[in-house]
Amino acid sequence: MYSDAHLHLNERMKNILQKQPVTAVISCSTAVQCKEAASFIQSHPSMKMSCGLHPWNADRISWEELLPWIETSTIIGEIGMDNVWCDIDLQLQKKVFEKQLAYASNMHKPVVLHTKGMEKEILTLIQNYPNKYHVHWYSCSSYIEEYRALDCYFSIGPFPSIDPNVHKVVEQIPLNRLMIETDGISAVEWALDHKIDDDEYYSCLHRIADEIAEIKGKNPEEILAITQQNLLQFISNSSI
């Protein structure tokens, strides 16, 4: 029943994911990452791969370089814009982002969004490209209702109790559009600001469910089931 809507694969995560099946999306932003994820997924059918030209790579990886993997992926992302954790020219980021938005919309492939610091600009852009959108680990107090009006999915990163903006997302977004994510165990450690054992990965997923359940007035098992179903619905390649 565990699901992880957004994680990055490394050797540590490979070892963790061998222990218990998880419905998950592995996010890739280079050809090497895509090749590695594709190989891993062959023996883990409950997992899917997403592929996209990440804004952090907008000035060093070309669309043509990643296109063969984008074409074979059923999910595009994570893609977007970022003025907090990188200093790449925003006009270049926008050009790369819009190219991928247009492709995904035309091909009816759902999209995972990276919005850090550019929430308003991304909201404006995606309105031009009808699609299914997953807003990954949204941690901004503004524009939540506007993204909700576009029927976006939101993945809840670790942990609502740590970040009041994530708590606000859980409060305002309906249960049928919420998912759980870790962004990988290293991101969980970053959020907690301390090291954790590999075996704690699954308890972290449960802790996120616990915190969502408390906010929504449900029990954690319900949240685990609902968020897994939401992820399956998001990644289904049905018509928009």
Side-chain angles (χ1 to χ4, degrees), residues 170-221:
V170 178
E171 288 180 326
Q172 295 190 10
I173 298 301
L175 263 178
N176 70 344
R177 287 296 180 266
L178 289 180
M179 302 184 292
I180 289 172
E181 73 154 286
T182 64
D183 208 12
I185 196 165
S186 297
V188 176
E189 291 178 331
W190 173 82
L192 293 173
D193 197 26
H194 64 76
K195 289 285 186 181
I196 61 173
D197 294 334
D198 289 1
D199 289 343
E200 294 180 79
Y201 167 75
Y202 299 97
S203 63
C204 287
L205 292 172
H206 207 290
R207 174 178 163 180
I208 300 170
D210 287 341
E211 295 189 10
I212 295 173
E214 183 175 355
I215 296 167
K216 290 297 194 182
K218 300 286 185 179
N219 67 60
E221 285 65 35

Side-chain angles (χ1 to χ4, degrees), residues 62-199:
S62 70
W63 165 256
E64 291 74 19
E65 180 181 346
L66 210 54
L67 184 57
W69 288 104
I70 289 173
E71 289 177 333
T72 60
S73 178
T74 57
I75 308 159
I76 306 303
E78 63 190 277
I79 63 174
M81 299 174 69
D82 187 331
N83 69 358
V84 176
W85 290 326
C86 75
D87 58 4
I88 294 171
D89 180 76
L90 289 174
Q91 287 305 310
L92 175 59
Q93 290 190 45
K94 181 180 178 182
K95 180 181 178 180
V96 170
F97 181 42
E98 282 206 90
K99 181 185 283 286
Q100 294 179 98
L101 287 178
Y103 172 86
S105 181
N106 290 335
M107 300 303 293
H108 301 289
K109 295 186 177 187
V111 169
V112 183
L113 294 172
H114 176 105
T115 61
K116 195 65 177 177
M118 299 296 291
E119 293 82 6
K120 182 179 180 180
E121 292 81 0
I122 288 173
L123 176 67
T124 300
L125 287 171
I126 65 174
Q127 293 180 62
N128 299 322
Y129 302 95
N131 209 335
K132 286 197 293 188
Y133 289 103
H134 160 198
V135 188
H136 138 63
W137 199 339
Y138 196 75
S139 57
C140 174
S141 62
S142 302
Y143 313 111
I144 297 171
E145 288 296 331
E146 289 84 349
Y147 277 98
R148 174 182 176 173
L150 295 179
D151 208 25
C152 295
Y153 292 79
F154 285 74
S155 56
I156 305 305
F159 296 94
S161 62
I162 292 175
D163 188 337
N165 292 331
V166 176
H167 191 285
K168 186 175 180 180
V169 170
V170 178
E171 288 180 326
Q172 295 190 10
I173 298 301
L175 263 178
N176 70 344
R177 287 296 180 266
L178 289 180
M179 302 184 292
I180 289 172
E181 73 154 286
T182 64
D183 208 12
I185 196 165
S186 297
V188 176
E189 291 178 331
W190 173 82
L192 293 173
D193 197 26
H194 64 76
K195 289 285 186 181
I196 61 173
D197 294 334
D198 289 1
D199 289 343

